[in-house]
Amino acid sequence: QVQLVESGGGLVQAGGSLRLSCVASENIFSFNAMGWYRQVAGKQRELVAGFFSGGSANYADSVKGRFTISRDNVKNTVYLQMNSLKPEDTAVYYCNAAQGWGTGRTDYWGQGTQVTVSS
């Protein structure tokens, strides 16, 4: 069973920065997708940034130019550097990794880490 352990959330003022980390229990090359999602209570979970087939990074429009996703293949870790944070970035952030395709796809999720941006 794949395990994803997140860290790095917290409380920050608007304009500040945080870096989230997600350590996977196995080689991240085994995943065909890996990224970060966020969820606000009462709303659907949404993609923030991720690596998908082809290897390039994709970002939600709301975070482009402010957030950067990166990975360390040796440490089996994916990072999310968040700069110029806004109150609307407040959410629980989840790390996701996927194996397989279509009906054979399996998604794994971390436990979530709270990010709170004060105005």
Side-chain angles (χ1 to χ4, degrees):
Q1 179 74 7
V2 173
Q3 292 186 329
L4 304 172
V5 180
E6 301 131 339
S7 61
L11 173 64
V12 65
Q13 288 189 329
S17 298
L18 284 173
R19 188 177 80 154
L20 305 183
S21 300
C22 172
V23 181
S25 59
E26 61 182 70
N27 194 313
I28 61 176
F29 284 117
S30 72
F31 305 123
N32 51 278
M34 196 167 184
W36 291 93
Y37 290 71
R38 66 187 180 188
Q39 188 169 24
V40 176
K43 294 188 177 181
Q44 283 192 327
R45 194 170 294 186
E46 62 174 5
L47 173 68
V48 176
F51 293 108
F52 301 98
S53 59
S56 60
N58 288 273
Y59 296 92
D61 288 343
S62 59
V63 307
K64 283 180 181 177
R66 300 188 298 121
F67 290 12
T68 303
I69 188 171
S70 62
R71 56 193 169 191
D72 185 326
N73 298 330
V74 174
K75 296 181 178 179
N76 293 328
T77 301
V78 172
Y79 302 97
L80 184 68
Q81 177 67 43
M82 305 185 293
N83 298 328
S84 302
L85 282 161
K86 304 175 181 180
E88 51 263 44
D89 294 318
T90 296
V92 179
Y93 284 70
Y94 295 91
C95 181
N96 167 267
Q99 293 176 327
W101 305 93
T103 56
R105 174 177 169 134
T106 300
D107 281 276
Y108 302 97
W109 296 92
Q111 79 282 4
T113 185
Q114 177 71 46
V115 172
T116 302
V117 184
S118 63
S119 58

